[in-house]
């Protein structure tokens, strides 16, 4: 990484910025948005696209080369496709991706592609229409699936599917979901549920990697895929002769804090050095006061200094995070 100034006290180089562009979402996933919680920051509290682009340019000068746009649901924000087009033009960004629930994918995939986005993660926790409604609160399974197929046909590579396995909710489908990787070149990512915010899922629903992998292994032998330099935290496998692959992201059963290269920018302009900690540094106020780029860069450095060595969700006395995932950006 050339000229990285974002090196934390544990000598981790931070080159990855995840940006939540809105706290709004068009789904109410049971494990993400607590019952009755309607995220809605006042518009003036949300960073404008201009402000986000300004922050990204500063971050690139400090060593950020990888950006993911997330939310809330990023595709509900007005003007998002024009924003993506401007984002992909920023020099020095080598990897720009998008995480979406896929509800608006079908009708907007051309705009996403022509904005220059090549990689998409789509969240899909079930292949069953009724269950989809139960998990997300809405009847959008068919249109999400059509969006996924379209993304594949249009050459997004890879199309990653994010799945959060939950006992008693979708764990009877783990092998069906994993089996998608046989015929499609999809990367299926099983992500351990992280207890965050208020109204967390009861521990009866928690399901960790060893059990998830065991069940999938019983269906078909999982062959390890060699790690790539640009890999994220996923432990990768594939079935013999499969077109796609399967990855496990294990923030709880084996956290990857020692290799974490991420910072997060919330929709309200807070820089968070760790998803699992409530520590954050305010970028919006200095930005709106007209601070110089050097002063804003100093805010980044401050966040980097505050990056904890690791989270404590899996220890003997787990410390929770009070913020909701939908407010921080997953
Ligand atoms: N709306 C977009 C979507 O659904 O992909 C982007 C935001 S969403 C917060 C990003 C990812 O976080 C989704 O794949 C979702 O399944 C995951 N997620 C949300 N809450 C989670 C939790 N408590 N533990 C693990 N993953 C979670």
């Amino acid at each position: 990484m050339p000229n990285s100034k974002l090196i934390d006290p544990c000598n981790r180089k931070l080159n990855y910025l995840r940006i939540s562009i809105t706290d709004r979402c068009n789904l109410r996933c049971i494990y993400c948005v607590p019952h009755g919680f309607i995220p809605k920051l006042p518009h003036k509290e949300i960073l404008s696209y201009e402000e986000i682009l300004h922050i990204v340019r500063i971050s690139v000068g400090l060593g950020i080369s990888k950006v993911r746009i997330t939310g809330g649901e990023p595709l509900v924000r007005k003007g998002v496709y024009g924003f993506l087009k401007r984002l992909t033009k920023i020099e020095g960004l080598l990897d720009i991706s998008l995480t979406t629930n896929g509800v608006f994918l079908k009708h907007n995939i051309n705009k996403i592609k022509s904005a220059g986005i090549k990689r998409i993660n789509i969240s899909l926790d079930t292949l069953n229409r009724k269950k989809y409604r139960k998990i997300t609160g809405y009847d959008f399974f068919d249109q999400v699936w059509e969006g996924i197929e379209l993304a594949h046909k249009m050459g997004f590579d890879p199309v990653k599917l994010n799945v959060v396995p939950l006992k008693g909710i979708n764990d009877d489908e783990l092998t069906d979901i994993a089996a998608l990787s046989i015929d499609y070149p999809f990367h299926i990512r099983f992500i351990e549920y992280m207890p965050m915010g208020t109204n967390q899922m009861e521990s009866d629903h928690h399901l960790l990697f060893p059990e998830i992998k065991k069940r999938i292994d019983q269906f078909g032998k999982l062959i390890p895929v060699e790690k790539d330099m640009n890999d994220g935290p996923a432990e990768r496998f594939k079935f013999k002769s499969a077109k796609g692959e399967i990855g496990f992201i294990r923030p709880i059963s084996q956290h990857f804090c020692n290799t974490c290269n991420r910072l997060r920018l919330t929709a309200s302009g807070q820089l968070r050095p760790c998803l699992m900690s409530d520590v954050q540094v305010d970028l919006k106020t200095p930005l709106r006061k007209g601070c110089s780029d050097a002063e804003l860069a100093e805010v980044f450095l401050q966040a980097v200094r505050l990056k904890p060595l690791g989270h404590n969700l899996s220890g003997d006395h787990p410390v929770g995070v009070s913020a909701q995932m939908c407010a921080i950006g997953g």
Side-chain angles (χ1 to χ4, degrees), residues 39 54 78 81 96 130 141 154 169 172 178-179 193 226 279 310 319:
H54 187 156
K78 224 167 135 188
Y81 306 105
I96 302 167
K130 267 199 193 141
F141 176 79
M154 292 196 51
I169 294 183
D172 55 334
Y193 167 71
E226 214 174 297
V279 170
V319 177

Side-chain angles (χ1 to χ4, degrees), residues 89 234 244:
K89 298 236 160 67

Side-chain angles (χ1 to χ4, degrees), residues 19-24 69-74 99 325-330:
I19 304 172
S20 170
I21 61 168
T22 178
D23 63 330
R24 270 77 159 168
I69 300 304
T70 178
E73 170 49 39
T99 300
M325 182 73 107
C326 53
I328 307 170

Side-chain angles (χ1 to χ4, degrees), residues 18 24-27 29 31-33 69-74 99-102 121-125 162-164 191-196 251 325-326 329-330:
R18 293 169 77 106
R24 270 77 159 168
C25 190
N26 48 353
L27 297 182
C29 297
Y31 57 85
C32 184
V33 184
I69 300 304
T70 178
E73 170 49 39
T99 300
T100 171
N101 57 34
N121 284 36
I122 303 156
S123 304
L124 187 71
D125 299 309
N162 287 358
V163 187
V164 178
I191 306 170
E192 286 175 341
Y193 167 71
M194 293 170 265
M196 299 174 68
M325 182 73 107
C326 53

